[in-house]
Structure formats: C-alpha cells, structure tokens
Amino acid sequence: MRTSLVAGNWKMNGSRAQIQLLVQDLQSNLAQLSSDIECLVCPPSIYIDQVSQALKSSIIQIGGQNCSEIAIAAFTGEISPAMLRDFGCNYVIIGHSERRLLLGETDDVIAAKFRVAQGAGLKPILCVGETKEQMQSGQSFLVVARQLQTVLTEVGINAFANAVVAYEPVWAIGTGLTATPEQAQNMHQQIREKFSNLSLDIAAKLRIIYGGSVTSGNARALFEQQDIDGGLIGGASLKARDFSDICHAAKSSMASL
Ligand code: PGA
C-alpha cells in the first residue's frame, strides 16, 4: 500500500505572527493523525526556520517550495537544496506551474533541480500539468508525458523510488475549478502506466498526488480514486481546519482501499 501524502503549498503567504498561529492550530488539529499518512507544509523559505523550530516534535514535515538547480555556486538570491536540508526539509516542490509559466522555468531546468535536490537528500515533488488551452485541444497527456520524460531522461526511472509526482492541471489551480475525480483518476492512471513501462515495481510504489482547488469538501472523493495518493493543497492549506480535514480525508480513504 502507498502511504498517502498531503502537502500544503503556502506559496508567498504569511507573516511571522500568522504563521505562528497557523502552525499552532495545525498541531492541535493534526494531533490525532496516525502514521499511515504523511503530512507536509511548504512555507516561504524565509519562514522555514520558524516553522521547523515550532514543529520540532511534530509529525508534520517541512518542505521547500523551490530550490536552485545548481548545488553550490555564486548565485545571488537562490537557495540550494542542501540549505533546505540543513533547516529540516525532507521534500521540495519542483516545477510548480507558477514557476514554469511566470518565471519561465523550462523542463530542462526542472530536471536539473530534481537531480540536484535528490543529490542533497530531498524528495522532489515533481509538478506536471496542462494549461486550459492544451486541455481543450486534447493534449493533456501529451504535455504531461513530455514534462515527465525530460526528468526521466535526466535522472532515470530509479530516481522515482524517492520522489512524488503531483498532477496539477493549470486550469484548476486557484480557480475553484477542480478536475472531477474521474478526470483526475484518468490522468493519474496514464501517468502510472507510463512509469509501469519502465518499472512495474517503481510504478506501483510511486505516489501520484493531485493538486488544483482541493478543498475539505472535494478531497475525499478525489482521494478515494485508485491512483490518487494524496494532494498538493494551495489556498486551503492556509486554513488549519481545512487543511487538517483534508489530511484526515486522505487517511480514511487510503484505509478503505
Ligand atoms: P490551489 O493551489 O489548491 O490553491 O488550487 C494548488 C497549488 O498550486 O499547488
């Protein structure tokens, strides 16, 4: 059985005071969460130390939202994967569509980030997903397969034994438009099949999580799908109650599989 993962992507939100409250509330809401689910928060990098201190004895893990594609260099403003590790991160989000589309991150840069992050001991959460136009012209899987292939070519299939794929249709991010459970399952199944062609074992163990307007209202139906192993949560991860409800939904749907 795959252990469900629910990750909160806080994006560029929060202040010291807000984050202190959010973390306190998360700890009390998630105190009963058992070990058959992994729960992760990804704060803006400047707040990682604050969150890491506050969550020292908690089951809630910490991840970065991005890292440099170069391990060590004169690279003003960037943060290396080793620095994220140094501050207690286990995971890092790689290739989020906001970075692909707003900052021009290419598949090649994303593949390099994946490799360097793993080299530093982080588990990459590789985001893939198609835009609305690509979806409307029937290219969804073509786009996702290309995004995955660039990384597979760079690091090889075995690297995915220690990584997570997040399917996030761009048209569903922050829009309130969620993929239906069937739409999401259909894509997740195709993604798993792509990996199965290279290694049945790695494909069976690979966690493929869904992101895009997941809420406490729609999470359960999504997580009940065979190939959906949790979620990457944006807006709803900023509200402790909503995020906790989503984590609990993941736990019980995995238990019923
Ligand atoms: P959303 O964001 O849940 O606010 O749609 C998801 C994401 O961007 O990871």
Side-chain angles (χ1 to χ4, degrees), residues 10 22-31 41 60 240 243-244:
W10 292 357
L22 177 57
V23 168
Q24 265 168 18
D25 287 350
L26 281 176
Q27 279 190 289
S28 49
N29 281 302
L30 289 169
V41 293
I60 305 170
F243 186 65
S244 311

Side-chain angles (χ1 to χ4, degrees), residues 9 11 96-98 168 172-175 211-214 232-236:
N9 175 8
K11 307 193 181 183
H96 190 280
S97 62
E98 284 153 14
E168 296 206 303
I173 295 178
T175 58
S213 297
V214 177
L232 181 53
I233 320 299

Side-chain angles (χ1 to χ4, degrees), residues 24-154:
Q24 265 168 18
D25 287 350
L26 281 176
Q27 279 190 289
S28 49
N29 281 302
L30 289 169
Q32 304 306 322
L33 199 71
S34 74
S35 57
D36 59 359
I37 171 169
E38 279 187 73
C39 167
L40 172 75
V41 293
C42 301
S45 54
I46 199 163
Y47 295 115
I48 285 175
D49 191 32
Q50 182 191 348
V51 176
S52 165
Q53 298 292 336
L55 293 178
K56 243 185 193 134
S57 52
S58 161
I59 52 156
I60 305 170
Q61 302 182 67
I62 302 167
Q65 295 180 15
N66 174 48
C67 67
S68 168
E69 69 271 35
I70 297 167
I72 306 175
F75 205 175
T76 303
E78 288 296 281
I79 291 179
S80 75
M83 292 170 185
L84 294 177
R85 272 305 279 157
D86 197 23
F87 278 85
C89 292
N90 295 334
Y91 287 88
V92 61
I93 298 171
I94 302 279
H96 190 280
S97 62
E98 284 153 14
R99 300 194 63 86
R100 290 179 187 265
L101 298 172
L102 303 174
L103 296 169
E105 276 191 11
T106 62
D107 287 338
D108 288 333
V109 166
I110 290 159
K113 288 188 181 203
F114 187 112
R115 183 173 46 71
V116 172
Q118 254 191 354
L122 292 166
K123 290 179 209 156
I125 300 175
L126 172 64
C127 298
V128 294
E130 81 286 4
T131 63
K132 190 172 172 196
E133 294 69 34
Q134 290 164 333
M135 186 258 287
Q136 284 169 340
S137 58
Q139 293 179 61
S140 302
F141 184 64
L142 221 71
V143 170
V144 167
R146 188 204 68 223
Q147 292 169 338
L148 291 172
Q149 190 55 51
T150 312
V151 180
L152 276 164
T153 304
E154 170 88 11

